[in-house]
Coordinates of all heavy atoms in Angstrom, one line a residue:
L672 N 166.7 56.8 81.2 CA 166.1 56.8 82.5 C 166.3 58.2 83.1 O 165.3 58.8 83.7 CB 166.6 55.7 83.4 CG 166.1 55.8 84.9 CD1 164.6 55.6 84.9 CD2 166.7 54.7 85.7
S673 N 167.5 58.7 83.1 CA 167.8 60.0 83.6 C 166.9 61.1 82.9 O 166.4 62.0 83.6 CB 169.2 60.4 83.5 OG 170.0 59.5 84.3
E674 N 166.8 61.0 81.6 CA 166.0 61.9 80.8 C 164.5 61.9 81.3 O 163.8 62.9 81.4 CB 166.1 61.6 79.4 CG 165.4 62.6 78.5 CD 165.5 62.3 77.0 OE1 166.3 61.4 76.6 OE2 164.8 63.0 76.2
A675 N 164.0 60.6 81.4 CA 162.6 60.5 81.9 C 162.3 61.1 83.2 O 161.3 61.8 83.5 CB 162.2 59.0 81.9
A676 N 163.3 60.9 84.2 CA 163.2 61.5 85.5 C 163.2 63.0 85.4 O 162.5 63.7 86.2 CB 164.3 60.9 86.4
Q677 N 164.1 63.5 84.6 CA 164.2 65.0 84.4 C 162.9 65.6 83.9 O 162.5 66.7 84.3 CB 165.4 65.3 83.5 CG 165.7 66.8 83.4 CD 166.9 67.1 82.6 OE1 167.6 66.2 82.1 NE2 167.2 68.4 82.3
V678 N 162.3 64.9 82.9 CA 161.0 65.4 82.4 C 160.0 65.5 83.5 O 159.3 66.6 83.6 CB 160.5 64.4 81.3 CG1 159.0 64.8 81.0 CG2 161.3 64.4 80.1
I679 N 160.0 64.6 84.4 CA 159.0 64.7 85.6 C 159.4 65.9 86.5 O 158.6 66.7 86.8 CB 159.1 63.4 86.4 CG1 158.5 62.2 85.6 CG2 158.3 63.6 87.7 CD1 157.0 62.3 85.3
R680 N 160.7 66.0 86.8 CA 161.1 67.1 87.7 C 160.9 68.5 87.1 O 160.7 69.4 87.8 CB 162.6 66.9 88.0 CG 162.8 65.7 89.0 CD 164.2 65.8 89.6 NE 165.3 65.6 88.6 CZ 165.8 64.4 88.2 NH1 165.3 63.3 88.8 NH2 166.7 64.3 87.3
E681 N 160.9 68.5 85.7 CA 160.7 69.8 85.1 C 159.3 70.1 84.7 O 159.0 71.1 84.1 CB 161.6 69.9 83.8 CG 163.1 69.9 84.1 CD 163.9 69.9 82.8 OE1 163.3 69.8 81.7 OE2 165.1 70.1 82.9
G682 N 158.4 69.2 85.2 CA 156.9 69.5 85.0 C 156.3 68.9 83.8 O 155.2 69.2 83.4
G683 N 157.0 67.9 83.1 CA 156.5 67.3 82.0 C 155.7 66.0 82.3 O 155.6 65.7 83.5
L684 N 155.2 65.3 81.3 CA 154.4 64.1 81.5 C 155.1 62.9 80.8 O 155.5 63.0 79.6 CB 153.0 64.3 80.9 CG 152.2 65.5 81.4 CD1 150.8 65.6 80.7 CD2 152.1 65.5 82.9
V685 N 155.1 61.8 81.6 CA 155.7 60.6 81.1 C 154.8 59.4 81.3 O 154.4 59.2 82.5 CB 157.1 60.3 81.8 CG1 157.6 58.9 81.3 CG2 158.1 61.4 81.6
A686 N 154.4 58.7 80.3 CA 153.6 57.5 80.5 C 154.6 56.3 80.8 O 155.6 56.2 80.2 CB 152.8 57.2 79.2
F687 N 154.2 55.5 81.8 CA 155.1 54.4 82.2 C 154.3 53.1 82.5 O 153.1 53.2 83.0 CB 155.9 54.8 83.4 CG 155.2 55.2 84.6 CD1 155.0 54.3 85.7 CD2 154.6 56.4 84.8 CE1 154.3 54.6 86.8 CE2 153.9 56.8 85.9 CZ 153.8 55.8 86.9
P688 N 154.9 52.0 82.4 CA 154.2 50.7 82.7 C 154.1 50.4 84.2 O 155.1 50.8 84.9 CB 155.0 49.7 82.0 CG 156.4 50.2 82.0 CD 156.2 51.7 81.9
T689 N 153.1 49.8 84.7 CA 153.0 49.3 86.0 C 152.5 47.8 85.8 O 152.3 47.4 84.7 CB 152.1 50.0 86.9 OG1 150.7 49.8 86.6 CG2 152.3 51.5 86.9
E690 N 152.3 47.1 86.9 CA 151.8 45.8 86.8 C 150.3 45.8 86.5 O 149.8 44.7 86.1 CB 152.0 45.0 88.1 CG 151.1 45.3 89.3 CD 151.4 46.5 90.1 OE1 152.0 47.5 89.5 OE2 151.0 46.6 91.2
T691 N 149.6 46.9 86.7 CA 148.2 46.9 86.4 C 147.9 47.5 85.0 O 147.5 46.7 84.1 CB 147.5 47.8 87.5 OG1 148.0 49.1 87.5 CG2 147.6 47.2 88.8
V692 N 148.1 48.7 84.8 CA 147.9 49.4 83.4 C 149.1 50.4 83.3 O 149.8 50.7 84.2 CB 146.6 50.0 83.2 CG1 145.4 49.0 83.4 CG2 146.3 51.2 84.2
Y693 N 149.2 51.0 82.1 CA 150.1 52.1 82.0 C 149.6 53.4 82.6 O 148.4 53.7 82.5 CB 150.3 52.4 80.5 CG 151.4 51.5 79.8 CD1 151.2 50.2 79.6 CD2 152.7 52.1 79.5 CE1 152.2 49.4 79.0 CE2 153.7 51.3 78.9 CZ 153.4 49.9 78.7 OH 154.4 49.1 78.1
G694 N 150.4 54.1 83.3 CA 150.0 55.3 84.0 C 150.6 56.6 83.3 O 151.6 56.5 82.6
L695 N 149.9 57.7 83.4 CA 150.4 58.9 82.8 C 150.9 59.8 83.9 O 150.1 60.3 84.7 CB 149.2 59.7 82.1 CG 149.6 61.1 81.5 CD1 150.7 61.0 80.6 CD2 148.3 61.7 80.9
G696 N 152.2 59.9 84.1 CA 152.8 60.4 85.3 C 153.3 61.9 85.1 O 153.8 62.3 84.1
G697 N 153.1 62.6 86.2 CA 153.6 64.0 86.4 C 153.9 64.2 87.8 O 153.4 63.5 88.7
N698 N 154.6 65.3 88.1 CA 154.9 65.6 89.5 C 153.6 66.0 90.3 O 153.0 67.0 90.0 CB 155.8 66.9 89.5 CG 156.3 67.2 90.9 OD1 155.7 66.8 91.9 ND2 157.5 67.9 91.0
G699 N 153.2 65.1 91.2 CA 152.0 65.2 91.9 C 151.9 66.3 92.9 O 150.8 66.6 93.5
L700 N 153.0 67.0 93.2 CA 153.1 68.1 94.2 C 153.0 69.4 93.5 O 153.1 70.5 94.2 CB 154.3 67.9 95.0 CG 154.5 66.6 95.8 CD1 155.7 66.7 96.7 CD2 153.2 66.3 96.6
R701 N 152.9 69.5 92.2 CA 152.8 70.7 91.5 C 151.4 70.9 90.9 O 151.1 70.1 90.0 CB 153.9 70.8 90.4 CG 155.3 71.0 91.0 CD 156.4 71.0 89.9 NE 156.2 72.0 88.9 CZ 157.1 72.2 88.0 NH1 158.2 71.5 87.9 NH2 156.9 73.2 87.1
P702 N 150.6 71.8 91.3 CA 149.3 72.0 90.8 C 149.1 72.1 89.3 O 148.2 71.6 88.7 CB 148.7 73.2 91.6 CG 149.9 73.9 92.1 CD 150.9 72.9 92.3
E703 N 150.1 72.9 88.7 CA 150.0 73.1 87.3 C 150.2 71.8 86.5 O 149.7 71.7 85.4 CB 151.0 74.2 86.9 CG 152.5 73.8 86.9 CD 153.1 73.9 88.2 OE1 152.4 74.1 89.2 OE2 154.4 73.8 88.3
V704 N 151.0 70.9 87.1 CA 151.3 69.6 86.4 C 150.0 68.7 86.5 O 149.6 68.1 85.5 CB 152.4 68.9 87.1 CG1 152.6 67.5 86.5 CG2 153.7 69.7 86.8
S705 N 149.3 68.7 87.6 CA 148.0 68.0 87.7 C 147.1 68.5 86.6 O 146.3 67.8 86.0 CB 147.5 68.1 89.1 OG 148.3 67.4 90.0
K706 N 147.0 69.8 86.5 CA 146.2 70.4 85.4 C 146.5 69.9 84.0 O 145.7 69.7 83.2 CB 146.2 71.9 85.5 CG 145.6 72.5 86.8 CD 145.7 74.1 86.8 CE 145.1 74.7 88.0 NZ 145.3 76.1 88.1
K707 N 147.9 69.8 83.8 CA 148.3 69.3 82.5 C 147.9 67.8 82.3 O 147.5 67.4 81.2 CB 149.8 69.4 82.4 CG 150.4 70.8 82.3 CD 151.9 70.8 82.4 CE 152.6 70.2 81.2 NZ 154.1 70.5 81.3
I708 N 147.9 67.0 83.4 CA 147.4 65.6 83.2 C 146.0 65.6 82.9 O 145.5 64.9 82.0 CB 147.7 64.9 84.6 CG1 149.2 64.7 84.8 CG2 147.0 63.5 84.5 CD1 149.5 64.1 86.2
Y709 N 145.1 66.4 83.6 CA 143.7 66.4 83.3 C 143.5 66.9 81.8 O 142.6 66.3 81.1 CB 143.0 67.4 84.2 CG 142.8 66.9 85.6 CD1 143.4 67.6 86.7 CD2 142.1 65.8 85.9 CE1 143.2 67.2 88.0 CE2 141.9 65.3 87.2 CZ 142.5 66.1 88.3 OH 142.3 65.6 89.5
A710 N 144.2 67.9 81.4 CA 144.1 68.4 80.0 C 144.5 67.3 79.0 O 143.8 67.2 78.0 CB 144.9 69.7 79.8
A711 N 145.6 66.7 79.2 CA 146.1 65.7 78.3 C 145.1 64.5 78.1 O 144.9 64.0 77.0 CB 147.5 65.1 78.7
K712 N 144.5 64.1 79.2 CA 143.5 63.0 79.1 C 142.1 63.5 78.7 O 141.3 62.6 78.3 CB 143.4 62.4 80.5 CG 144.6 61.5 80.8 CD 144.5 60.9 82.2 CE 143.2 60.1 82.5 NZ 143.2 58.8 81.7
G713 N 141.8 64.8 78.8 CA 140.5 65.2 78.7 C 139.6 64.8 79.9 O 138.5 64.4 79.7
R714 N 140.2 64.7 81.0 CA 139.6 64.2 82.3 C 139.0 65.2 83.1 O 139.6 66.3 83.3 CB 140.8 63.5 83.1 CG 140.3 62.8 84.4 CD 141.6 62.3 85.1 NE 141.4 61.7 86.4 CZ 141.5 60.4 86.6 NH1 141.7 59.6 85.6 NH2 141.3 59.9 87.8
P715 N 137.8 65.0 83.6 CA 137.2 66.0 84.6 C 138.1 66.3 85.8 O 138.6 65.3 86.3 CB 135.9 65.3 85.0 CG 135.6 64.4 83.9 CD 136.9 63.9 83.4
S716 N 138.2 67.5 86.2 CA 139.2 67.9 87.2 C 138.7 67.5 88.6 O 139.4 67.7 89.6 CB 139.5 69.4 87.1 OG 138.3 70.1 87.3
D717 N 137.5 67.0 88.7 CA 137.0 66.5 90.1 C 137.2 65.0 90.2 O 136.8 64.4 91.2 CB 135.5 66.9 90.3 CG 134.6 66.1 89.4 OD1 135.0 65.6 88.4 OD2 133.4 66.1 89.7

């Protein structure tokens, strides 16, 4: 758990379960991390 949290704090990406679907998580306050999420998913940035 500490390792997973550290990955987030260091700007990495961690997929995790929720009650709805699995989410692909990254630090939402760092713009470069959001760009990494879009790139990993192949998701349009808008």
Side-chain angles (χ1 to χ4, degrees):
L672 175 59
S673 295
E674 184 180 355
Q677 185 176 354
V678 169
I679 293 294
R680 289 194 293 270
E681 292 180 352
L684 304 182
V685 178
F687 63 98
T689 74
E690 80 279 28
T691 57
V692 299
Y693 274 72
L695 175 58
N698 187 338
L700 301 185
R701 290 176 57 176
E703 72 277 13
V704 174
S705 293
K706 291 178 180 179
K707 288 172 70 172
I708 292 173
Y709 287 120
K712 286 177 59 67
R714 179 186 177 106
S716 61
D717 67 345

